[in-house]
Amino acid sequence: MSTQETYKTKVKELLSSGKVKMVIGYKAGTTADRRRPHFMRTPEEVDQLVLDSACITNLSGYLLSEGLLSDGKEIAVFLKPDGIRSINILAAEAQLQSNQVVVLGFDINGSEISALQGERASDFQALTSSSNEARLHKQQHPESARLEQMTPAERFAYWEDAFSRCIKCYACRQACPMCYCRRCIVDNNQPQWVNTSSHTLGNFEWNIVRAFHLAGRCVECGNCGRACPVNIPLGLLNMKMTDEVLQSFNHYPGVSETQEPVLASFKKNDSETFIL
Amino acid sequence: MAKIGVFVCHCGENIAGKIDCKQLTAAMEQHPGVAVAFDYKYFCADPGQESVKKAIRDNNLTGVVMAACSPRMHEATFRKACAEAGLNPYLCEIANIREQCSWVHTDGEQATQKAVEITRSMVEKVKLNNNLQPIEVPVTRKALVIGGGIAGIQAALDIANAGREVVLVEREASLGGHMSQLSETFPTLDCSQCIMTPRMVEAAQHPKIKVLTYAEVESVDGYIGNFKVKVRMKSRFVDMHTCTGCGDCIIKCPIKKIPSEFDCAIGKRTAIYTPFAQAVPNTPVIDKANCTYFKTGKCKICAKICELNAINFDMQDEIIDFEIGAIVVATGFQVQDNSVYGEYGYGKYKDVINGLQFERFASASGPTAGKILRPSDGKEPETVVFIQCAGSRDAAKGVRYCSKICCMYTAKHAMLYAHKVHTGKAHIFYMDIRAAGKGYDEFTRRGIEEDETSYLRGRVSKVWEENGKLMVRGVDTLLGKPVVIAADMVVLATAMVPQPDAKDFAKVIGIGYDEYGFYNEAHLKLRPVESSTAGIFLAGACQSPKDIPDSVSQASAAASKVLALFSKEKLEREPVVATNNEATCAGCWGCVLACPYNAIDRKDIVDRSGKLIKRVASVNPGLCQGCGTCVTFCRSHSLDLAGFTEKQIFAEVMGL
């Protein structure tokens, strides 16, 4: 039986037994290579479930829909390793309790998918740790390497050009599982720190603030970049922030839910290159 | 409707010499919301303050901007004046047009333009200022003194004699510090222990002082008036209450050849020991690393010999909590490791010693009972060479600063040597003789004139051994020629350096330190005994190299600061504290972790039936120090700082 079929059986079981009140997965999207989220509350809805190599969206953010978890009932969600790390971070930041989330883990290798064993996010500790190890030794992205070679002026011009396309639709924010604030700073107009109109300064402000708010929290799932209607390479910014946090604090986000948020915690051996 | 008064101060020529104050005043008069603006020569003077008060009353002002010097100078003055005129003092802001403008610019026209912008920006801010009321916090009138050397003991005694309780923490097994290791003290040559030990005893017996030896401060939380301190009592393995200090265990301990720390490795000690004979308290400790029982599980001779059963090998470290109002840090210094000077042969030749080791030789309580003897063969040296600045004033290998005490103690060493070995000859290589202090220059002159100390102005390039002598090659720059002296002993006037763990400890208690690890004072000239953290004071050589009189003076000064703090039951604090917007708080608890003062708690918001709606952060204004760390951390900008709200800062920036 294929992984998809195995999981269909499992999801039906989860729903019919009443263990979970909802399963969040994928179903067919508008085109052949796109998937959309599928929220299953009854076993009948499971027939539409699709699980294949096109299921790349990190679904963990949907768990934080207003009131969804407040009744204390469990919810199952299909997650790749990056999504499992998101659960750990969200638990560390008190946005959910990991024992309320049943992880239906899977991984994509080329066009193949495979199931990951485990029920709670904490069951995947070995996986998240090895992902940490792999990230440490990961070859730098060629575009990232190209940017590093540039002079500051060239790099500024590169981002000025990229951000000039930004229309402030905030799709990147809506797609990101880490952007859970009920009121985002850009929605606050007393004072209006980030200009709403779409000019260079305001665009810089928004995109850089977003990148900073994700430093040490981003799992590099790519939701933001895929959501961007004007193709700003947001992933590159996040990648750079991840590199910086790894180098400076040896912190890889989402290894476990006991990890302290790196920018909120202070350790005696933190590097203090800018403080005397 | 805002009615702001803008008052432009000339500060004599300090501001008016560069900035066109009339033009600035005129510009402010035109600014929306400004009801009155005028300039004056010195607003900090009484007539100036009176004119501000009158303007507030006459115009019913809702805010005041003083375009003057730094708020660090006169913010308090002007806020007080405003309060006297019936305006909430926090409705007064300072536009700094002196330090940040007139003093740092050359072009008057541009400086005036900048002054207009700075002042305008503060006018915009003050329009959004709110009435704030000072916060009162209780003061725990109990002091913690860290370090039981002369500085710590002096501070503890001064505070205790004024009737306040003191906890005195010393990490070694006995009080005393470095002063108890010294022989005689300059410039009077009185015996160090003879003047030190009475103080040690006085501190130990004082009803207001709780002395904790063999103890270390583990953590310090809280803030001025309300510190929470954890002290680790290291296990001595000897019960302090039953032990009488008879010393039988020390005599019988079979491990006798451990280099004594107190004697700078010249003397030896046992595994169960007191650092020195006059130790206070006189209860020994067991050195776990060297004790046969702890290494092999057998021995326990000390336990068998002790008639009172005071030895307890199962003793564990104990953590004691204290509520403390003020802290005096007197953690002292160490001597620099001289082995960095390979050319002087320290560590290579037995007869090359450092100044502190010489003190132990010269001390009547030392391992040689006060005889100056060569460590190699135990003979009296006929010629001794002293090398000053062995580490100090040397940017290449040592430290850049002057250790301050070496000129004096080297002069004293040469003098003591002359008194003990009448036929001996002492030579001192020096860079400068720095003998500033009461009776100090007279002391060095006495060494030269009465005790025939030979001073050679120059540096030593090499020390080597030849035919049982230490050959010292140096230069006499006054004669302009090289000299070689055959010596029996070489004494290095080693630099004074901070304790090796000084920087780590600074982080534990939350104070600043310099590049070397000496603790930073709040202001080098005007606040030399305060650290930059309110309620933590400094005494002795942990702040900078100091001799005994300086350490004692600073300790008494620190004590007076503590007593001033303890003179009131309550402390008035600035109402600059964080507030949280519970409607927008996402409850991520980043602020709870980020807060250095543990001032933020989790708060449940429940509906009428008690059902949890959401969890949010809640700031305790009594604990909050207004540092703003949480505000900068908060991603949803739910946290804000009273007196420096986002709206105010934004208005300030937009006013530029």
Side-chain angles (χ1 to χ4, degrees):
Chain A
M1 219 177 357
S2 72
T3 310
Q4 174 177 296
E5 295 312 310
T6 318
Y7 263 133
K8 273 189 179 172
T9 317
K10 188 170 177 185
V11 169
K12 278 182 182 164
E13 233 174 73
L14 282 170
L15 287 169
S16 52
S17 70
K19 173 158 170 70
V20 302
K21 67 167 181 178
M22 181 197 272
V23 178
I24 307 175
Y26 306 87
K27 64 180 174 185
T30 44
T31 61
D33 57 349
R34 297 180 86 169
R35 302 289 168 260
R36 62 167 55 166
H38 184 31
F39 303 91
M40 294 160 272
R41 290 174 189 271
T42 59
E44 293 72 49
E45 288 170 302
V46 179
D47 294 332
Q48 285 172 279
L49 176 73
V50 176
L51 193 64
D52 59 16
S53 61
C55 298
I56 45 179
T57 305
N58 180 354
L59 299 177
S60 58
Y62 292 109
L63 290 168
L64 303 184
S65 306
E66 186 109 40
L68 186 58
L69 291 168
S70 59
D71 58 5
K73 289 184 182 150
E74 292 187 34
I75 292 179
V77 57
F78 280 89
L79 296 167
K80 295 199 282 59
D82 50 15
I84 297 169
R85 286 166 50 215
S86 301
I87 300 293
N88 280 331
I89 300 170
L90 292 172
E93 295 182 358
Q95 298 306 306
L96 51 77
Q97 287 179 322
S98 55
N99 59 12
Q100 223 181 323
V101 179
V102 175
V103 177
L104 302 169
F106 71 101
D107 206 354
I108 301 171
N109 313 295
S111 62
E112 297 296 309
I113 61 156
S114 54
L116 299 172
Q117 297 309 311
E119 184 183 299
R120 300 294 180 199
S122 55
D123 299 338
F124 299 89
Q125 176 83 53
L127 179 84
T128 52
S129 300
S130 71
S131 156
N132 183 359
E133 199 52 36
R135 182 63 175 79
L136 276 173
H137 304 106
K138 192 179 163 190
Q139 193 93 35
Q140 199 179 22
H141 190 280
E143 186 66 358
S144 184
R146 193 174 75 84
L147 277 169
E148 298 275 351
Q149 293 301 314
M150 290 182 179
T151 63
E154 287 169 342
R155 208 154 42 229
F156 190 85
Y158 174 94
W159 285 112
E160 193 172 20
D161 177 53
F163 293 151
S164 72
R165 299 196 292 274
C166 179
I167 53 169
K168 297 266 187 59
C169 68
Y170 305 130
C172 46
R173 177 186 79 186
Q174 299 310 113
C176 178
M178 289 304 133
C179 279
Y180 52 70
C181 288
R182 292 284 176 262
R183 184 203 67 182
C184 177
I185 46 152
V186 293
D187 300 331
N188 178 8
N189 59 5
Q190 289 287 331
Q192 186 90 54
W193 281 113
V194 179
N195 208 306
T196 46
S197 60
S198 184
H199 59 62
T200 315
L201 179 67
N203 288 355
F204 259 98
E205 283 169 347
W206 160 244
N207 284 285
I208 288 172
V209 164
R210 196 195 68 86
F212 267 94
H213 281 190
L214 287 172
R217 305 167 69 231
C218 173
V219 295
E220 302 175 285
C221 67
N223 276 10
C224 52
R226 283 191 295 273
C228 182
V230 291
N231 296 325
I232 299 171
L234 297 167
L236 280 178
L237 274 183
N238 297 338
M239 214 185 288
K240 176 66 181 164
M241 294 309 286
T242 307
D243 286 343
E244 293 285 333
V245 172
L246 261 175
Q247 279 164 21
S248 303
F249 307 107
N250 191 25
H251 180 97
Y252 184 64
V255 174
S256 81
E257 66 171 285
T258 54
Q259 250 182 333
E260 286 187 342
V262 68
L263 295 188
S265 53
F266 167 74
K267 292 191 184 68
K268 266 201 253 172
N269 55 358
D270 280 346
S271 57
E272 292 179 19
T273 46
F274 58 100
I275 302 172
L276 216 144
Chain B
M1 179 63 193
K3 279 190 259 175
I4 311 296
V6 180
F7 305 95
V8 179
C9 182
H10 294 201
C11 195
E13 283 297 291
N14 275 307
I15 292 171
K18 194 67 66 189
I19 291 166
D20 184 341
C21 292
K22 292 284 173 214
Q23 197 187 324
L24 172 56
T25 310
M28 285 305 116
E29 272 175 340
Q30 299 302 311
H31 191 76
V34 175
V36 58
F38 57 84
D39 58 319
Y40 185 68
K41 208 163 175 62
Y42 287 108
F43 270 113
C44 59
D46 273 349
Q49 291 188 46
E50 285 307 320
S51 68
V52 173
K53 286 184 208 170
K54 186 169 182 304
I56 293 172
R57 291 193 198 100
D58 291 353
N59 299 281
N60 271 332
L61 293 183
T62 59
V64 163
V65 173
M66 303 298 308
C69 53
S70 160
R72 292 198 63 155
M73 302 296 294
H74 279 304
E75 187 180 71
T77 313
F78 294 131
R79 284 192 165 171
K80 192 161 161 276
C82 288
E84 283 167 8
L87 193 69
N88 184 290
Y90 295 94
L91 299 177
C92 168
E93 292 284 352
I94 310 292
N96 180 356
I97 58 165
R98 193 179 75 170
E99 283 84 346
Q100 289 175 355
C101 194
S102 70
W103 275 2
V104 289
H105 295 297
T106 46
D107 186 304
E109 209 167 296
Q110 284 185 313
T112 306
Q113 259 320 303
K114 182 174 166 184
V116 169
E117 298 223 356
I118 293 172
T119 314
R120 195 169 57 206
S121 140
M122 289 320 291
V123 171
E124 287 306 310
K125 185 191 173 199
V126 91
K127 283 180 185 173
L128 296 170
N129 274 21
N130 296 315
N131 287 356
L132 299 176
Q133 305 303 330
I135 298 170
E136 281 195 337
V137 284
V139 178
T140 309
R141 295 197 243 183
K142 186 185 224 179
L144 169 74
V145 177
I146 309 170
I150 184 60
I153 290 175
Q154 182 67 42
L157 283 173
D158 286 349
I159 298 167
N161 285 338
R164 300 295 173 202
E165 282 184 60
V166 180
V167 179
L168 176 59
V169 175
E170 165 59 49
R171 71 168 159 192
E172 301 298 335
S174 167
L175 293 178
H178 277 104
M179 188 174 161
S180 58
Q181 286 177 281
L182 308 181
S183 52
E184 273 82 43
T185 52
F186 60 79
T188 46
L189 290 189
D190 38 4
C191 153
S192 184
Q193 285 205 335
C194 309
I195 55 176
M196 181 71 190
T197 45
R199 293 295 176 93
M200 288 156 59
V201 175
E202 193 185 342
Q205 292 178 346
H206 203 294
K208 292 278 183 192
I209 303 180
K210 187 177 178 67
V211 175
L212 303 175
T213 54
Y214 216 50
E216 289 190 40
V217 172
E218 186 95 344
S219 69
V220 173
D221 290 318
Y223 56 97
I224 179 169
N226 295 275
F227 292 107
K228 289 190 170 38
V229 178
K230 284 189 191 301
V231 176
R232 175 181 292 275
M233 299 294 297
K234 295 183 279 186
S235 43
R236 304 174 92 97
F237 304 106
V238 180
D239 188 289
M240 292 198 71
H241 303 295
T242 32
C243 173
T244 57
C246 71
D248 284 352
C249 53
I250 300 173
I251 298 166
K252 295 290 181 190
C253 179
I255 309 295
K256 295 189 190 299
K257 300 218 165 158
I258 305 161
S260 158
E261 294 83 3
F262 185 80
D263 282 332
C264 304
I266 299 165
K268 302 277 190 280
R269 65 163 171 85
T270 45
I272 183 166
Y273 71 106
T274 50
F276 54 104
Q278 303 93 321
V280 173
N282 201 18
T283 315
V285 294
I286 294 178
D287 168 9
K288 205 174 170 183
N290 287 302
C291 169
T292 313
Y293 172 73
F294 282 112
K295 285 203 287 197
T296 66
K298 285 181 189 153
C299 183
K300 285 196 174 180
I301 291 176
C302 49
K304 283 169 207 150
I305 208 83
C306 180
E307 290 177 4
L308 295 161
N309 291 326
I311 312 267
N312 174 8
F313 289 101
D314 300 324
M315 197 180 272
Q316 298 293 320
D317 286 9
E318 191 190 341
I319 305 281
I320 310 181
D321 292 290
F322 290 103
E323 307 255 320
I324 294 292
I327 300 175
V328 178
V329 183
T331 48
F333 69 99
Q334 277 303 333
V335 289
Q336 196 195 14
D337 176 13
N338 280 112
S339 49
V340 295
Y341 288 93
E343 62 270 37
Y344 294 159
Y346 184 84
K348 186 173 166 195
Y349 307 125
K350 279 185 178 173
D351 296 331
V352 179
I353 61 173
N354 68 31
L356 199 54
Q357 287 174 315
F358 189 89
E359 294 285 348
R360 294 313 298 149
F361 276 115
S363 170
S365 70
T368 58
K371 291 202 179 70
I372 311 287
L373 300 174
R374 278 158 55 110
S376 59
D377 54 11
K379 283 184 190 155
E380 234 172 35
E382 286 162 23
T383 309
V384 179
V385 169
F386 295 90
I387 303 175
Q388 285 195 193
C389 295
S392 306
R393 303 173 70 196
D394 179 357
K397 281 187 178 174
V399 291
R400 281 202 318 246
Y401 56 83
C402 165
S403 290
K404 198 171 178 186
I405 60 167
C406 326
C407 287
M408 293 309 298
Y409 78 62
T410 302
K412 178 192 76 179
H413 286 173
M415 209 180 268
L416 292 178
Y417 171 64
H419 295 174
K420 286 171 193 277
V421 183
H422 297 298
T423 54
K425 183 70 197 161
H427 301 274
I428 299 178
F429 282 95
Y430 72 105
M431 279 157 72
D432 303 286
I433 303 175
R434 296 186 166 175
K438 189 171 182 178
Y440 285 11
D441 202 56
E442 299 91 313
F443 184 76
T444 53
R445 292 312 306 170
R446 178 179 150 198
I448 296 166
E449 286 157 17
E450 289 178 23
D451 294 312
E452 295 175 358
T453 307
S454 123
Y455 271 89
L456 299 154
R457 189 178 186 283
R459 303 287 283 156
V460 170
S461 62
K462 195 172 167 64
V463 176
W464 73 97
E465 213 166 37
E466 205 173 287
N467 303 328
K469 290 270 185 187
L470 286 167
M471 307 303 288
V472 182
R473 180 194 286 145
V475 61
D476 184 336
T477 55
L478 297 181
L479 290 177
K481 61 181 188 186
V483 284
V484 176
I485 298 172
D488 300 301
M489 188 188 246
V490 172
V491 183
L492 305 178
T494 315
M496 230 172 164
V497 293
Q499 296 278 8
D501 57 351
K503 290 182 183 177
D504 288 337
F505 190 65
K507 290 175 190 169
V508 169
I509 54 177
I511 57 173
Y513 50 86
D514 67 11
E515 59 186 296
Y516 305 104
F518 287 117
Y519 296 148
N520 281 346
E521 59 293 311
H523 190 286
L524 190 57
K525 283 154 280 182
L526 300 178
R527 294 169 68 192
V529 302
E530 290 156 83
S531 77
S532 43
T533 307
I536 303 186
F537 305 95
L538 307 173
C542 65
Q543 184 228 357
S544 68
K546 279 189 192 68
D547 55 18
I548 296 165
D550 282 1
S551 296
V552 172
S553 312
Q554 199 188 10
S556 289
S560 82
K561 291 279 176 193
V562 170
L563 292 169
L565 176 64
F566 287 178
S567 66
K568 290 186 210 129
E569 272 180 27
K570 289 201 169 165
L571 196 68
E572 219 171 67
R573 280 226 348 261
E574 287 243 313
V576 178
V577 292
T579 54
N580 189 26
N581 181 346
E582 292 172 353
T584 57
C585 174
C588 73
W589 310 136
C591 54
V592 177
L593 270 173
C595 178
Y597 304 98
N598 295 328
I600 308 180
D601 290 323
R602 295 166 170 84
K603 176 178 158 187
D604 291 348
I605 297 182
V606 292
D607 64 12
R608 280 187 203 172
S609 60
K611 195 177 149 235
L612 181 72
I613 298 171
K614 72 187 280 198
R615 286 218 157 110
V616 293
S618 167
V619 181
N620 178 342
L623 296 174
C624 176
Q625 296 294 293
C627 70
T629 305
C630 59
V631 179
T632 55
F633 181 82
C634 183
R635 283 184 290 268
S636 64
H637 287 208
S638 300
L639 285 155
D640 216 343
L641 195 61
F644 296 89
T645 62
E646 297 221 17
K647 278 187 195 175
Q648 288 172 310
I649 303 285
F650 191 80
E652 203 178 325
V653 174
M654 290 301 138
L656 285 174

